[in-house]
Amino acid sequence: MVIRGGRPLSGRVEVSGAKNAVLPAIVASLLIDEPLTIGNVPDLRDVETQLALVEALGKAISRDGDTLVITGEASRAEAPEEVVSRMRASFLCLGPLLARFGEAHVPLPGGCVIGARPVDLHLEGLRRLGAEVEVCEGVVHARGRLHGGEVWLRYPSVGATEQLLLAGAVIPEPVEVVNPAREPEVMDLARLLSAMGAEISFSEDRITIQGGKLRGTGHHVIPDRIEAGTYLLAGAITGGEVEVAGARPEHLTALLVKLEECGVGIAVEGRTICLKARVPWSGVEVETAPYPGFPTDLQPQFTSFLALARGRSVIWERVFESRFGHVGELLRMGARITLQGQAILIEGVEGLRGAEVVATDIRAGAALVLAGLAAHGETRINGLDHLRRGYENIEGKLAQLGAEVWVEELNVT
Ligand code: EPZ
């Protein structure tokens, strides 16, 4: 992707369905033999991968625009290696397969550039519910009849919470997840599972789910708060004025508060967030945390924004141990950033210059897009497939905001 930066963005974009809500919803189809209809599905590489997984397990997919209908019966308890190694979210099929077949064989998901990303909380949780789990040669083998119980998570892991909700939906006794994740995407999965017939209740420290015979249903996926935040930051970093429509502003409170602290103007009208940049904007201190804290998935993008703030900023990355792949690339564009343990120390600079850079993961790629939009000259971002995993029609939406952006296919000789 090539971006000729340096001009303020203005205009309106529509938010697509949330990647991190639709990926668990697709896996929930393994729990039933009746049709599951999912609306507001974004056109993303990761969605294709998750659909390939459930097809490999026996489901049939039909698609009409942004609506999916998943039918048929899961007929295999073994997830294909090439799919799971491509995308971590496919590991969520372990619980459903185990709960349905009494056994499951799923390869360990690969780590990635943002950290080791172990799955110990997933495995310990399923063991608490009666599973015998062993890992050999990189494959998780689980077997046994699952029963109810109380599972305490030492960390409110999004994936582990979703894994336990998916398994609990078909266990006819109460499963209590103590210290669960409360991200909007987790709550969206809970909403889907209740619509399918599970009984779910929430208290201050736990989610309780009681499963049983589930039925098909229709589900409309929530909008993607990380995509929405990324486009708001595109307006802010270029000194522009943008409207992000079809969002859920209440899912972005931590970002909106921080943007206002930097001096940026924010107005919320229903499901549209209107942003009016303020130039220059001030540096701030922020730390990432589980929801409703500042989302780690907006940390790289916010790093780019603060690279051009006036004065110093500090961002503490408290969720992943090494989510700093974007920093080296930003330095090559003229940013002044140093890393100290989990802290990203930023000295604001007057401007960035376009450069040839490499995206190492979805959100690092988004950070480089934002830096390129603000930089003088042309920025060439390699590793477009990372962006395609998480951002639907990103060049179209950026062009809608007035960005000069195009894609060049590398003719690899
Ligand atoms: C989900 O990943 C998201 N992915 C991530 O978004 C997001 O960054 C993350 O939640 C945190 O919000 C999807 O929903 C598909 P975690 P997940 O389990 O479930 C540690 C994006 O760009 N941990 O909450 O993997 C883990 O190492 C992606 O869209 C364990 O130690 O996140 C990490 O440090 C990136 N053991 C922390 O917990 C476990 O068993 C948070 O991980 C599980 C997690």
Side-chain angles (χ1 to χ4, degrees):
M1 179 184 280
V2 184
I3 297 175
R4 186 172 299 133
R7 33 191 302 176
L9 296 192
S10 65
R12 181 184 173 89
V13 286
E14 280 285 329
V15 183
S16 302
K19 168 175 84 77
N20 293 347
V22 73
L23 295 178
I26 290 170
V27 168
S29 68
L30 298 170
L31 300 172
I32 50 174
D33 301 341
E34 297 175 10
L36 174 61
T37 302
I38 308 174
N40 197 29
V41 174
D43 178 14
L44 300 172
R45 196 71 54 85
D46 276 7
V47 170
E48 300 306 321
T49 303
Q50 200 75 319
L51 291 175
L53 169 73
V54 296
E55 274 177 328
L57 294 169
K59 302 298 271 189
I61 316 284
S62 71
R63 180 179 232 162
D64 170 15
D66 70 359
T67 300
L68 291 176
V69 182
I70 307 177
T71 55
E73 245 184 85
S75 54
R76 284 183 56 197
E78 197 154 347
E81 157 70 31
E82 73 281 357
V83 174
V84 177
S85 57
R86 228 187 312 160
M87 182 185 66
R88 179 181 171 81
S90 48
F91 193 68
L92 290 174
C93 72
L94 176 67
L97 293 176
L98 173 59
R100 284 212 71 180
F101 294 113
E103 65 168 299
H105 310 277
V106 181
L108 278 175
C112 61
V113 286
I114 63 178
R117 303 188 76 181
V119 287
D120 54 311
L121 296 177
H122 299 237
L123 305 187
E124 281 159 30
L126 291 173
R127 285 190 181 107
R128 285 281 295 171
L129 301 180
E132 282 165 48
V133 180
E134 60 184 17
V135 181
C136 62
E137 290 165 16
V139 179
V140 176
H141 300 281
R143 54 179 60 80
R145 253 186 54 70
L146 295 179
H147 52 66
E150 187 182 68
V151 180
W152 173 75
L153 294 178
R154 68 173 160 74
Y155 182 90
S157 153
V158 170
T161 305
E162 292 170 344
Q163 186 82 253
L164 292 165
L165 290 177
L166 285 161
V170 288
I171 298 172
E173 299 149 17
V175 170
E176 300 183 56
V177 184
V178 186
N179 188 32
R182 298 201 183 247
E183 270 68 2
E185 296 77 25
V186 175
M187 307 318 273
D188 204 39
L189 174 64
R191 184 168 60 89
L192 166 58
L193 295 173
S194 339
M196 289 165 70
E199 274 167 51
I200 302 183
S201 60
F202 304 90
S203 63
E204 69 291 337
D205 67 343
R206 65 192 64 203
I207 300 175
T208 302
I209 181 166
Q210 170 135 1
K213 185 82 187 80
L214 300 178
R215 57 184 181 275
T217 187
H219 182 67
H220 192 85
V221 171
I222 55 170
D224 194 315
R225 61 193 168 101
I226 305 302
E227 185 201 21
T230 304
Y231 286 108
L232 287 170
L233 284 165
I237 198 172
T238 57
E241 197 165 338
V242 300
E243 288 186 6
V244 174
R248 295 282 290 273
E250 69 274 21
H251 291 167
L252 277 164
T253 304
L255 173 69
L256 301 184
V257 165
K258 279 295 162 188
L259 282 171
E260 288 182 323
E261 207 180 309
C262 296
V264 174
I266 297 285
V268 170
E269 290 153 27
R271 298 192 54 187
T272 299
I273 305 170
C274 306
L275 177 139
K276 185 166 174 21
R278 218 272 305 273
V279 181
W281 56 90
S282 325
V284 291
E285 178 155 353
V286 62
E287 67 176 295
T288 66
Y291 191 83
F294 191 94
T296 174
D297 288 351
L298 284 173
Q299 177 267 96
Q301 300 91 313
F302 209 66
T303 303
S304 296
F305 175 60
L306 293 180
L308 287 166
R310 165 171 293 184
R312 290 165 184 252
S313 300
V314 184
I315 307 183
W316 298 88
E317 174 51 63
R318 300 272 192 223
V319 175
F320 287 106
E321 66 267 29
S322 60
R323 190 169 209 165
F324 308 116
H326 51 298
V327 172
E329 300 304 286
L330 291 174
L331 291 176
R332 299 182 55 242
M333 297 177 73
R336 286 176 55 194
I337 304 173
T338 51
L339 293 177
Q340 222 167 55
Q342 292 309 109
I344 303 173
L345 308 176
I346 305 167
E347 186 81 45
V349 292
E350 282 301 308
L352 295 174
R353 60 179 176 277
E356 176 113 26
V357 291
V358 179
T360 49
D361 68 275
I362 304 178
R363 309 305 174 184
L368 298 175
V369 168
L370 297 185
L373 290 168
H376 304 289
E378 282 189 5
T379 299
R380 312 175 77 78
I381 301 166
N382 298 293
L384 198 47
D385 51 342
H386 288 293
L387 282 167
R388 294 251 182 276
R389 286 187 52 186
Y391 288 93
E392 181 178 56
N393 183 23
I394 183 165
E395 59 268 39
K397 293 193 180 187
L398 288 173
Q400 236 173 289
L401 294 175
E404 270 195 272
V405 53
W406 64 94
V407 171
E408 283 173 8
E409 294 309 320
L410 279 182
N411 48 357
V412 181
T413 48

